[in-house]
């Protein structure tokens, strides 16, 4: 029997949610005493000015729905972010002084847009940004004067296809964009453009692969760019110099998994690398001159970001399943942790995750993270799917996972086919046929949980957010009778309606995933939509959806709910006033309470049915 759910104010699982954490941090490359941090100190994730010397944090944004992303100028004088309404991710690019003050709208003459990318040259004299609207992606360039005035905005590039990434050289003379015009899919090539003339001065294209730009060298006059490519099946680094067209690839055959470049050293003689193998991350440093690779012995966990800092150190943002995110300083030669640079509050102890692998259809091997509560199994179990699909679940601090464990549930978080870093074929096989192989992997996970004695038959729940929410709905519809219930957050229910309403950044991404729009491929969009399988659903369903979400807009979920209710299905839909997920602590606690109460209701109904 499960213990009574602990919904008291001071329950350990609620204290994990309330322990404020550092979700991200960045240091100004030319003014290392200044940084920005994203934290939930006040209960909602906001942007803070960070005094790197003292660790002091001063709140800069006060958005009711939160502000989880921002950019700091290299000179540390300004913070740039999208000013949107209640998390709808539509608005205008603004900048606010680091010292504090009202943000200034940089595009007051433009209608609202989704912000695809922002870049500021290291000399702080050029600003570039890419907007997404119904007529495509637009990249603009603005000069920044020495006294920080923003000059006239000039259009640099426009495309109606998906665009990803934007990088500026040190002096702002070269912009590099990630384009899909040649591939017609999600695969990007790199195009270098002279920001003064708009002329294309270089292009990098690997047929059937994705190229991504990471960072220009910090050395003045050095226009070499760190990039990555998937042409050898998994991610590998390269260095590209656009004007002469020089390219050097680095294969690292001794390293398995994905190997991505993260940063240049200040003198551009070394490169920081991040390896991800079976969802486990490792940092390494490669000496370009000596050709020497040094694997760093750093604390384990998920590394959200890492860069070379002063005094031959590396700043890395690290967390794991029992420790919230913190910024640490590592010795650049060994990886040894020198000190904790920035951290939040301690959280109550939790249960660590462990990595497992199970077999799925077509011989696929699926990596997953498993955690079980104290005591003997089998347990009621949560089968969780991450968002994306172009993402990977790594060893993260997730209060909701620990909440389930506190209440006697096991949890399995799977890296289904479509996840990144397991090879190009593993990632690309879902393209044009969404919800097929992923659901196979869900069914195989169910079988593995039962066979291993971890889960109780009939007591496995599907759960996920965004694309994971989509897979929750697909799993219930395509595998009827297999699961006790589903809990979907900011989910996709109808790809066609979603395409009609969503922000342009996601419309183009959706078309690239499918290989065409709903008008061009109506049958495949229907086959991949949960609403098509609504009549099959036999298990109870809880959906938690953002009223201002422009990624998974409200209308498609309202139509889905109406259809389920017409069919007499057990569905509960809870709306919240934010966009694609919540950045407010108490709201997240409320959502977890809803899911706990939902799961207990389902299990109680099962128990009563058995007793009768």
């Amino acid at each position: 029997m499960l213990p009574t759910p602990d919904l008291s104010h001071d329950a350990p699982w609620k204290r994990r949610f309330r322990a404020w954490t550092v979700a991200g941090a960045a240091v100004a490359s030319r003014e290392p005493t200044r940084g920005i941090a994203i934290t939930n100190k006040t209960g909602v994730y906001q942007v803070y000015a960070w005094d790197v010397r003292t660790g002091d944090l001063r709140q800069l944004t006060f958005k009711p729905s939160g502000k989880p992303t921002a950019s700091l100028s290299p000179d540390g004088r300004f913070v740039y972010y999208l000013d949107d309404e209640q998390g709808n991710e539509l608005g205008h690019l603004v900048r606010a002084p680091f010292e504090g003050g009202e943000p200034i709208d940089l595009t007051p003459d433009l209608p609202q847009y989704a912000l695809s990318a922002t870049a500021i040259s290291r000399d702080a004299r050029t600003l570039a940004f890419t907007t997404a609207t119904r007529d495509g992606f637009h990249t603009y360039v603005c000069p920044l004067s020495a006294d920080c005035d923003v000059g006239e905005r000039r259009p640099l590039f426009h495309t109606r296809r998906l665009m990803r990434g934007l990088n500026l050289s040190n002096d702002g003379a070269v912009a590099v964009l990630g384009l899909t015009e040649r591939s017609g899919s999600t695969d990007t090539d790199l195009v270098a453009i002279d920001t003064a003339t708009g002329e294309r001065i270089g292009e990098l294209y690997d047929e059937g692969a994705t190229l991504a730009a990471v960072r220009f060298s910090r050395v003045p006059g050095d226009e070499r760019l760190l990039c990555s490519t998937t042409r050898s099946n998994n991610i590998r680094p390269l260095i590209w110099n656009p004007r002469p067209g020089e390219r050097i690839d680095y294969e690292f055959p001794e390293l398995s998994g994905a190997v991505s470049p993260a940063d240049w050293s200040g003198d551009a003689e070394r490169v920081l690398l991040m390896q991800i193998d079976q969802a486990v991350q490792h940092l390494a440093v490669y000496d370009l001159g000596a050709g020497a690779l040094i694997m760093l012995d750093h604390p384990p966990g998920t590394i959200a970001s890492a860069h070379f800092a002063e005094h031959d150190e590396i700043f890395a943002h690290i967390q794991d399943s029992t420790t919230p995110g913190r910024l640490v300083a590592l010795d650049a030669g060994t990886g040894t942790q020198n000190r904790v640079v920035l951290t939040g509050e301690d959280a109550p102890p939790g249960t660590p995750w462990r990595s497992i692998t199970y077999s799925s259809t077509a011989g696929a091997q699926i990596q997953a993270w498993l955690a079980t509560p104290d005591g003997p199994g089998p347990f009621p179990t949560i089968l969780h799917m991450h968002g994306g699909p172009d993402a990977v679940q790594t060893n993260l601090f997730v209060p909701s996972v620990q909440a389930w464990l506190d209440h006697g549930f096991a949890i399995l978080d799977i890296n289904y086919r479509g996840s990144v870093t397991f090879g190009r074929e593993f990632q690309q096989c879902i393209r044009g046929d969404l919800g097929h192989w992923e659901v196979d992997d869900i069914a195989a996970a169910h079988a593995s949980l039962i066979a291993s004695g971890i889960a109780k038959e009939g007591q496995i729940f599907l759960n996920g957010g965004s694309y994971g929410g989509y897979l929750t709905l697909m799993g219930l519809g395509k595998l009827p009778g297999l699961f006790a219930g589903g809990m979907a957050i900011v989910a996709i229910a109808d790809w066609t309606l979603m395409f009609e309403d969503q922000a342009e950044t996601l419309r183009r991404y959706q078309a690239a995933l499918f290989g065409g729009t709903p008008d061009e491929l109506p049958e495949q969009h229907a086959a991949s939509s949960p609403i098509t399988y609504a009549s099959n659903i036999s298990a109870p369903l809880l959906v938690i959806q953002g009223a201002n979400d422009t990624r998974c807009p409200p209308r498609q979920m309202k139509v889905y709910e109406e259809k389920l209710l017409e069919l007499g299905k057990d569905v509960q839909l809870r709306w919240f006033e934010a966009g694609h997920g919540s950045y407010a602590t108490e709201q997240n606690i409320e959502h977890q309470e809803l899911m706990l109460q939902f799961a207990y209701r389902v299990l109680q109904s099962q128990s009563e049915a058995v007793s009768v």
Side-chain angles (χ1 to χ4, degrees), residues 282-527:
H282 301 276
L283 292 177
V285 172
Y286 183 67
D287 187 310
L288 296 171
L293 179 69
I294 302 171
M295 301 302 297
L296 300 182
D297 185 18
H298 54 78
T302 291
I303 304 164
S305 63
H307 68 271
F308 282 106
E310 289 188 306
H311 313 301
D312 209 27
E313 288 187 323
I314 292 168
F315 278 10
H317 185 276
I318 299 181
Q319 61 180 297
D320 60 44
S321 55
T322 60
T323 310
R326 71 242 183 242
L327 191 69
V328 301
L330 309 176
D331 184 287
T334 65
T336 301
Q337 181 173 311
N338 292 337
R339 67 189 187 283
V340 175
V341 179
L342 188 62
T343 189
E345 295 176 325
D346 292 334
T351 301
W353 302 358
R354 64 183 186 272
S355 178
I356 68 165
T357 303
Y358 66 91
S359 298
S360 188
T361 55
Q365 294 298 301
I366 308 301
Q367 186 276 337
W369 295 98
L370 175 66
T372 55
D374 293 336
F379 310 98
T381 300
I382 306 299
L383 177 51
H384 185 268
M385 291 76 64
H386 64 73
D390 289 332
V392 57
Q393 182 62 58
T394 55
N395 188 8
L396 293 171
F397 179 76
V398 185
S400 60
V401 168
Q402 300 298 331
W404 290 114
L405 292 163
D406 284 359
H407 287 86
F409 289 78
I411 187 158
L412 184 72
D413 206 317
I414 67 173
N415 278 310
Y416 52 81
R417 273 173 282 190
S419 303
V420 299
T421 74
F422 294 92
R424 179 172 175 77
E425 182 180 349
F426 189 95
Q427 178 186 354
Q428 296 285 331
C429 69
I430 71 169
R431 299 297 192 260
D433 190 16
L434 304 182
H436 172 189
W437 299 111
E438 310 96 301
V439 172
D440 277 5
D441 298 341
I442 290 169
H446 180 280
S448 177
L449 286 166
I450 298 298
S452 63
I454 291 167
K456 287 184 179 180
E457 186 91 45
Q459 293 192 2
I460 302 176
F461 294 82
L462 290 179
N463 174 232
S466 191
Y467 198 84
Y470 159 69
L471 292 179
T472 297
L473 304 184
M474 285 293 279
L476 293 183
K478 295 185 75 174
L479 303 170
L482 205 59
F483 297 99
M487 295 162 284
I489 303 172
V490 293
I492 303 162
D494 186 321
W495 285 105
T496 298
L497 292 182
M498 191 168 88
F499 187 85
E500 293 175 4
D501 295 352
Q502 70 186 170
E504 191 63 22
T505 45
L506 275 297
R507 279 166 58 91
R508 300 298 169 179
Y509 177 60
Q510 178 179 325
L513 280 177
F514 277 93
T517 67
D519 286 342
E520 296 164 341
L521 298 170
E523 292 182 1
Q524 188 54 58
H525 279 76

Side-chain angles (χ1 to χ4, degrees), residues 21-26 36-39 45 50 68 304-305 317 327 342:
T21 185
V22 178
I36 56 171
I38 310 295
T39 89
Y45 281 102
W50 167 35
S305 63
H317 185 276
L327 191 69
L342 188 62

Side-chain angles (χ1 to χ4, degrees), residues 4 8 53 299 424:
T4 303
S8 62
R53 296 164 299 184
R424 179 172 175 77

